[in-house]
């Protein structure tokens, strides 16, 4: 079995780890680390009788995950302190949100930059408040600023030199030029306050956003972790009354039905997520193509399918920017 | 990968994959007698790759990759494959170690007690620890000291010592030829040659030791000794540790205990002979 | 210089040092406690890639960051400007190596560059931010920042 | 000099006076620079209040103090 598929099957059912031999472990741990899933795997396998060398590596991964969690929550707190005086709603997204809301998707998760969603009308005041509080632009180039402000769904990235942590301020969850145009106002209106001045998306919006994020990149980088988030969220919210209905309604509202359905089908194939068959529909031929792309890493941790990666790469630009704009953008970058 | 090598150094298991045969052959010779990773599972993976497929043959250059990488690493010529593997292994420790507080320090042991020497690269730590390793001390490591937060003991990491330029001749004077790796010339740090630790140091790589004395050695015009207080010692050690912050409160507790628990002395020395003499004198005075 | 106070911070840190408890108003105690106005009194321990990666890795810094596009020069303050701008310099023809940067930090010139060019390149390198290529390389070269 | 491990951020700080004294004064509850000056025995000492205000800003930048206006 390909190491990435082995990783997925052990994540889905940790008992399967009890029958693994040395080389299986070597490949599985290497792929887990490369796919940023080692912390999650370490928590899933905690307490099982495994080879000592494996137990030690998994214990290290839990140390890293604990530290990552502390840093992520602290970065969110420092952003909250900088933005609290503005009285603007601040919605935390992705990994930091899962941890802040205590969801199983956050357990052992490796967390990167802080992503926040604010109303589009508040972008300027948020920008100035962050700059006043010590954040600085990562890229000084004016063209990038223009590109970000007009075509992307976020401010150019900011970093805080005291902590070397980056923050991405979004006003919607997909670039405005992308075909599906999510309802940003609804995302913020239905966000759930955490009680400390920050909020997280509603359960259904979290899943829709995770699906949008997975395909928005086009090259599906970090796809296995993204689908693991979706698996954990679906299982956590499965007991909410008629959750499938709520999820379908939100996906429709954000014009992200196709993306959400495909993400759920892929999660089901990869992690055996219990999903309402009628809702996500039967698996399609193209699902297999996505799955091959997602599980392309070899036992040494190397990406193994450059050809298909290129196809997806072009698609990622197309999703972000319609063909006409794509040509101009690439041309501007090349000429500059 | 086409070629592979696996080895255990102290408590850490490494596997190195390479697109060329030469670096792996050189590793096998240099690490002869070292054990393999336990349970057949290495803690860290290093990959020696060609940046572009054709770079395997045309002016081959090694790109160092692995579990942990730095984005700006410069490729090395194939002839420096052994150095590339060493750098890859060091980087995995520097960025990935979590079981111990990692100190960029040399460490030698005598009757169960450890002498730690911390300082910037180029302060002569490696040469000093290699010399002591031939003069009645057991070499625990020339590059990294592994402080166990639970016990306060230092675990050995006896990798082959990386000797640079003049110190190659200093060591070659009275050590038999076959304990040396090949001469690697024209590296960013000049000439490099690796020296295998004494057989005893390799055989006893699982035996930790209790830290007893911490020195901050530095080349200086004249001999000078300066006691270093616990606060300064603590701050300097945080700058010599790549995983202090990542260990959180455990790291804080382990490092404050070390900085408060053992005497620390700044040592300026004009030459190797005076360094050896000063170390032996300071060790004799160190509390039992 | 009192010894190390062993502090554990709760939500707001509450550990403090008994020896400094205010014992009534005396000029020396005042100066001792208030300290020099300008000196910074909080130093945060930063993750140190400094000394180890310096000896561990052989890294390089592209000047300027290729992501900023071709045809860019560097001015005296290290800012990235359009080619041909007044009192700006042509960038180095290849990334600057760790050893060359370390020597330039002590005042030496970069190979093939004069004094002004070298100072301009160093000004650019000093302003590198997390996210720009060369940042970790430069961070690893800096003398330990307490 | 005081070394402090700040659990919420996981960061370690080295503090020089008056930083540790200000933090100790805040044990008795939130206060502005003037009130802290009082608690440290510098009542009605404008210069001390200015120094303490500057140090409070520095402590806020490092996250050890949160300023609510």
């Amino acid at each position: 079995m390909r190491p990435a598929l082995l990783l997925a099957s052990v994540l889905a059912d940790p008992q399967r780890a009890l029958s693994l031999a040395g080389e299986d472990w070597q490949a599985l741990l290497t792929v887990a680390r490369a796919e940023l899933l080692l912390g999650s795997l370490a928590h899933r396998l905690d307490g099982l009788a495994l080879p000592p060398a494996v137990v030690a590596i998994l214990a290290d991964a839990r140390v890293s995950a604990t530290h990552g969690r502390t840093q992520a929550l602290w970065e969110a707190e420092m952003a909250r302190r900088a933005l609290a005086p503005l009285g603007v709603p601040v919605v935390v997204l992705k990994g930091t949100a899962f941890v802040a809301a205590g969801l199983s998707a956050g357990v052992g998760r490796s967390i990167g930059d802080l992503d926040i969603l604010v109303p589009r009308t508040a972008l300027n005041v948020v920008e100035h408040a962050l700059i006043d509080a010590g954040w600085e632009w990562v890229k000084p180039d004016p063209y990038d600023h223009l590109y970000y402000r007009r075509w992307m769904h976020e401010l150019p990235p900011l970093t805080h030199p005291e902590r070397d942590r980056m923050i991405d301020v979004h006003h919607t969850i997909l670039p405005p030029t992308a075909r599906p145009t999510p309802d940003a106002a609804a995302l913020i209106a239905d966000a759930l306050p955490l009680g400390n001045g920050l909020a997280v998306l509603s359960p259904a919006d979290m899943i829709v956003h995770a699906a949008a994020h997975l395909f928005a990149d086009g090259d599906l980088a970090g796809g296995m972790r993204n689908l693991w988030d979706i698996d954990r969220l679906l299982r956590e919210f499965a007991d909410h009354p008629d959750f499938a209905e709520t999820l379908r309604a939100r996906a429709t509202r954000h014009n992200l039905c196709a993306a959400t359905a495909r993400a759920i089908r892929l999660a089901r194939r990869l992690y055996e997520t219990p999903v309402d068959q009628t809702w996500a529909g039967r698996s399609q031929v193209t699902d297999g193509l996505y799955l091959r792309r997602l599980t392309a890493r070899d036992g040494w941790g190397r990406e193994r399918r450059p050809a298909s990666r290129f196809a997806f790469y072009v698609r990622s630009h197309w999703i972000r920017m319609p063909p006409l704009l794509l040509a101009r953008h690439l041309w501007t970058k090349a000429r500059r | 990968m086409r070629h592979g090598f696996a080895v255990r150094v102290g408590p850490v298991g490494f596997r190195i994959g390479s697109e060329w045969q030469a670096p792996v052959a050189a590793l096998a010779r240099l690490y002869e007698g070292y054990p393999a990773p336990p349970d057949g599972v290495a803690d860290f993976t290093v990959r020696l790759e060609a940046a572009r497929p054709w770079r395997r043959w045309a002016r081959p250059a090694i790109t160092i990759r692995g579990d942990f990488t730095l984005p700006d690493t410069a490729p090395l010529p194939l002839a420096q494959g052994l150095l590339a593997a060493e750098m890859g292994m060091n980087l995995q420790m520097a960025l990935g170690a979590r079981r111990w507080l990692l100190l960029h320090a040399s460490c030698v042991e005598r009757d169960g007690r450890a002498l730690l020497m911390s300082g910037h690269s180029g302060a002569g730590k490696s040469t000093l620890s290699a010399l002591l390793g031939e003069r009645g001390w057991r070499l625990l490591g020339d590059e990294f000291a592994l402080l166990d937060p639970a016990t306060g003991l230092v675990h050995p990491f006896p990798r082959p010592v990386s000797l640079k330029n003049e110190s190659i001749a200093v060591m070659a004077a009275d050590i038999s030829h076959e304990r040396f790796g090949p001469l690697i010339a024209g590296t960013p740090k000049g000439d490099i040659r690796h020296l295998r630790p004494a057989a005893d140091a390799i055989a006893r790589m699982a035996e930790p030791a209790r830290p007893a004395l911490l020195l901050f050695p530095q080349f200086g015009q004249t001999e000078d000794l300066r006691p270093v207080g616990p606060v300064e010692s603590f701050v300097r050690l945080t700058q010599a540790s790549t995983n202090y912050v990542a260990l959180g409160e455990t790291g804080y507790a382990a490092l404050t205990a070390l900085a408060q628990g053992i005497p620390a002395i700044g040592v300026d020395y004009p030459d190797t002979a005076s360094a050896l003499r000063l170390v032996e004198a300071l060790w004799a005075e160190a509390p039992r | 210089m009192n010894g190390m106070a062993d502090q554990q911070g709760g939500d707001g840190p509450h550990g403090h040092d008994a020896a400094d408890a205010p014992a009534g108003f005396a000029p020396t105690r005042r100066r001792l406690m208030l300290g020099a106005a300008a000196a910074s009194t909080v130093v945060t321990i930063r993750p140190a890639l400094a000394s180890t990666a310096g000896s561990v890795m052989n890294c390089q810094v592209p000047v300027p960051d290729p992501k900023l596009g071709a045809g860019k020069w560097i001015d005296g303050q290290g800012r990235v400007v359009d080619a041909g701008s007044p009192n700006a310099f042509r960038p180095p023809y290849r990334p600057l190596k760790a050893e060359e940067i370390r020597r330039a930090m002590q005042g030496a010139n970069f190979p093939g560059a004069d004094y002004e060019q070298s100072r301009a390149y160093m000004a650019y390198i000093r302003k590198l931010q997390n996210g720009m290529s060369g940042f970790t390389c430069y961070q690893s070269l800096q003398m330990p920042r307490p | 000099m005081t070394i402090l491990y700040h659990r919420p951020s996981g960061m370690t700080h080295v503090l020089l006076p008056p930083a540790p004294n200000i933090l100790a004064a805040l044990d008795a509850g939130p206060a502005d620079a003037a009130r802290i000056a009082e608690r440290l025995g510098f009542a009605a000492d404008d210069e001390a209040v200015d120094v303490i205000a500057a140090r409070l800003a520095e402590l806020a930048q490092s996250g050890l103090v949160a300023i609510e206006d």
Side-chain angles (χ1 to χ4, degrees):
Chain A
M1 183 192 270
R2 282 205 309 270
L5 290 177
L6 183 62
L7 169 62
S9 86
V10 170
L11 277 169
D13 176 7
Q15 293 303 320
R16 292 173 179 151
L18 298 175
S19 59
L20 294 180
E23 324 78 35
D24 295 336
W25 276 115
Q26 185 72 76
L28 184 132
L29 294 170
T30 302
V31 170
R33 186 179 263 138
E35 292 290 340
L36 301 176
L37 279 168
L38 188 56
S40 309
L41 181 69
H43 279 276
R44 291 286 286 168
L45 302 183
D46 195 4
L48 291 180
L50 305 173
V54 174
V55 169
I57 293 169
L58 295 176
D60 289 356
R62 284 193 291 273
V63 169
S64 296
T66 304
H67 178 65
R69 184 182 181 285
T70 303
Q71 282 190 316
L73 292 176
W74 181 249
E75 202 57 24
E77 167 58 12
M78 289 303 271
R80 184 201 65 76
R81 289 183 190 184
L83 302 177
L86 306 180
V88 159
V90 177
V91 182
V92 185
L93 302 173
K94 298 194 232 170
T96 304
F98 304 150
V99 172
L103 300 170
S104 67
V107 174
R109 192 176 190 284
S110 86
I111 300 168
D113 302 338
L114 173 62
D115 288 277
I116 60 172
L117 175 69
V118 295
R120 188 186 187 108
T121 53
L123 267 185
N124 284 346
V125 289
V126 165
E127 176 188 337
H128 291 118
L130 291 174
I131 302 271
D132 289 349
W135 274 267
E136 294 168 2
W137 299 114
V138 168
K139 287 204 187 89
D141 184 338
Y143 174 78
D144 272 301
H145 281 237
L146 183 67
Y147 169 80
Y148 268 98
R149 285 173 198 284
R150 189 163 335 141
W151 306 118
M152 296 294 286
H153 56 296
E154 57 194 37
L155 282 179
L158 288 150
T159 180
H160 200 291
E162 293 257 337
R163 301 181 298 278
D164 282 331
R165 298 280 295 194
M166 281 211 265
I167 184 170
D168 290 326
V169 183
H170 304 260
H171 60 78
T172 176
I173 52 171
L174 265 182
T177 55
R179 272 302 163 301
T181 46
D183 178 346
L187 289 171
I188 293 177
D190 297 343
L192 307 176
L194 291 170
N196 64 359
L198 295 172
V200 292
L201 295 175
S202 69
D205 282 344
M206 266 188 194
I207 292 171
V208 171
H209 177 226
H213 177 65
L214 171 65
F215 300 114
D217 267 348
D219 71 1
L220 299 183
M224 279 191 81
R225 183 182 63 165
N226 213 314
L227 285 174
W228 175 248
D229 291 341
I230 290 170
D231 167 83
R232 292 294 96 186
L233 292 171
L234 283 169
R235 289 174 191 260
E236 180 137 21
F237 303 134
D239 49 18
H240 286 215
D242 51 61
F243 182 70
E245 222 7 74
T246 317
L247 182 54
R248 184 206 296 267
R250 288 311 278 196
T252 311
R253 175 122 184 224
H254 295 306
N255 303 310
L256 283 165
C257 269
T260 306
R262 187 188 298 272
I264 290 173
R265 291 197 308 273
L266 290 176
R268 187 177 60 202
R269 279 185 67 170
L270 207 52
Y271 300 116
E272 302 149 37
T273 317
V275 162
D276 172 345
Q277 174 70 16
T278 58
W279 195 83
R282 280 190 335 287
S283 57
Q284 298 168 3
V285 171
T286 47
D287 287 354
L289 189 60
Y290 280 84
L291 214 56
R292 214 163 61 89
R293 167 68 198 95
L294 283 164
T295 57
R297 204 175 290 276
D298 73 7
W300 283 88
R302 294 176 303 179
E303 287 277 6
R304 289 319 291 157
R305 284 191 177 74
S308 68
R309 188 170 46 184
F310 178 72
F312 278 103
Y313 175 73
V314 172
R315 188 171 171 286
S316 76
H317 266 277
W318 179 76
I319 282 186
R320 276 184 201 273
M321 300 205 317
L324 185 63
L325 276 172
L326 173 61
R328 204 170 67 75
H329 168 59
L330 290 180
W331 167 246
T332 322
K333 275 274 182 186
R335 188 172 44 74
R336 221 160 24 83
Chain B
M1 296 187 83
R2 224 171 296 277
H3 308 282
F5 177 73
V7 66
R8 177 162 66 86
V9 181
V12 187
F14 296 95
R15 69 167 175 163
I16 297 101
S18 167
E19 298 198 24
W20 302 273
Q21 200 271 336
V24 165
L27 282 167
R29 278 192 303 275
L30 189 62
Y31 282 93
E32 202 224 326
Y34 279 74
D39 306 320
V41 182
D43 295 290
F44 299 118
T45 293
V46 172
R47 305 193 310 257
L48 306 181
E49 294 179 359
R52 291 284 179 281
W54 60 84
R55 275 310 214 144
R56 267 197 58 231
W57 307 284
R59 277 189 298 107
I62 303 174
T63 300
I64 304 169
R65 292 212 177 92
D67 291 324
F68 298 90
T69 55
L70 283 180
D72 320 312
T73 51
L76 288 176
L78 180 54
Q80 299 176 11
L82 197 55
L83 178 62
E86 177 200 349
M87 284 182 168
M89 291 164 77
N90 287 344
L91 184 66
Q92 305 312 307
M93 288 292 285
L95 299 180
R98 290 294 180 277
R99 227 160 296 163
W100 322 271
L101 181 74
L102 197 72
L103 294 171
H104 180 234
S106 302
C107 194
V108 288
E109 176 264 337
R110 188 186 273 167
D111 42 57
R113 293 163 59 247
L115 164 66
L116 287 155
M117 291 176 283
S118 175
H120 311 319
S121 64
K125 305 193 303 298
S126 282
T127 312
L128 212 45
S129 56
L131 283 168
L132 291 168
E134 306 302 318
R135 285 165 173 70
W137 296 76
R138 172 167 66 114
L139 179 70
L140 299 193
D142 77 308
E143 180 83 4
F144 292 127
L146 280 51
L147 180 66
D148 186 336
T151 62
L153 297 177
V154 172
H155 289 262
F157 185 70
R159 60 163 213 166
V161 178
S162 172
L163 298 170
K164 298 184 180 60
N165 306 317
E166 321 74 33
S167 53
I168 297 172
V170 167
M171 298 309 295
D174 49 30
I175 295 175
S176 62
H177 175 70
E178 91 284 356
R179 272 184 54 200
F180 283 88
L183 178 66
I184 308 169
T187 80
K189 298 263 163 134
D191 293 349
I192 286 180
R193 208 166 178 195
H194 293 93
L195 168 66
R196 283 164 52 83
D200 178 56
I202 297 175
R204 295 168 55 199
M205 66 168 63
E207 283 175 40
R210 169 78 49 199
L213 178 64
L214 168 62
L215 301 183
F216 293 102
Q218 185 119 337
F219 274 115
Q221 270 63 30
T222 55
E223 279 183 27
D224 178 36
L225 299 181
R226 183 180 64 80
V228 176
V231 172
E232 181 190 352
S233 175
F234 174 87
V235 173
R236 288 179 72 156
L237 288 174
T238 61
Q239 296 310 293
S241 170
T242 58
N243 67 352
Y244 166 76
V245 174
L247 292 187
E249 196 160 349
T250 307
Y252 169 80
L255 203 56
T256 42
L258 181 68
Q260 289 176 302
I262 62 173
I265 302 162
V267 182
D268 284 5
Y269 61 89
D271 54 58
T272 314
S274 60
L276 291 172
R277 184 171 34 78
L278 287 169
V279 163
E280 295 289 357
L282 292 168
W283 180 257
E285 293 160 20
R288 278 287 162 265
Chain C
M1 262 271 287
N2 53 19
M4 179 161 12
D6 202 341
Q7 306 288 346
Q8 249 78 47
D11 185 36
H14 42 71
H16 61 82
D17 208 304
D20 271 15
F25 188 80
T28 47
R29 189 187 68 74
R30 185 178 185 289
R31 194 168 19 80
L32 184 68
M33 181 179 306
L34 293 182
S40 97
T41 61
V42 179
V43 174
T44 303
I45 300 289
R46 303 291 295 278
L49 211 48
S51 49
T52 54
S55 71
V56 161
M57 279 317 287
N58 149 40
C59 60
Q60 55 186 24
V61 177
V63 176
D65 186 333
K67 293 201 285 292
L68 300 180
K72 290 283 178 182
W73 284 19
I74 306 289
D75 77 6
Q77 286 76 37
R79 290 186 301 233
V80 179
V81 294
D82 286 332
S85 311
N87 53 57
F89 303 94
R90 194 179 295 279
Y93 56 90
R94 61 159 173 74
L96 300 175
K97 292 202 165 25
E99 279 311 302
E100 293 163 350
I101 297 169
R102 196 199 300 272
R103 281 194 292 273
M105 285 161 79
Q106 274 112 28
N109 290 347
F110 287 106
D114 62 26
Y115 180 79
E116 277 73 28
Q117 274 176 305
S118 301
R119 291 318 107 209
Y121 298 162
M122 269 318 295
Y124 170 84
I125 290 171
R126 284 204 176 83
K127 292 204 312 207
L128 281 175
Q129 282 292 355
N130 183 8
M132 291 179 72
S133 40
F135 172 73
T136 38
C137 185
Y138 176 57
Q139 202 185 19
S140 75
L141 286 170
Q142 290 171 62
M143 295 313 292
R145 281 185 312 228
Chain D
M1 207 171 339
T2 308
I3 291 178
L4 179 139
Y5 178 77
H6 185 231
R7 282 200 184 106
S9 63
M11 295 160 80
T12 304
H13 305 278
V14 179
L15 307 178
L16 294 170
N21 318 83
I22 292 175
L23 295 179
L26 285 170
D27 281 353
D32 59 18
R35 190 101 61 75
I36 292 171
E38 252 168 61
R39 290 180 187 168
L40 294 179
F42 298 109
D45 175 335
D46 293 345
E47 196 219 338
V49 173
D50 292 344
V51 168
I52 289 171
R55 294 302 150 234
L56 272 177
E58 200 188 341
L59 286 165
Q61 184 68 13
S62 69
L64 286 170
V65 156
I67 295 183
E68 274 100 18
D69 43 0

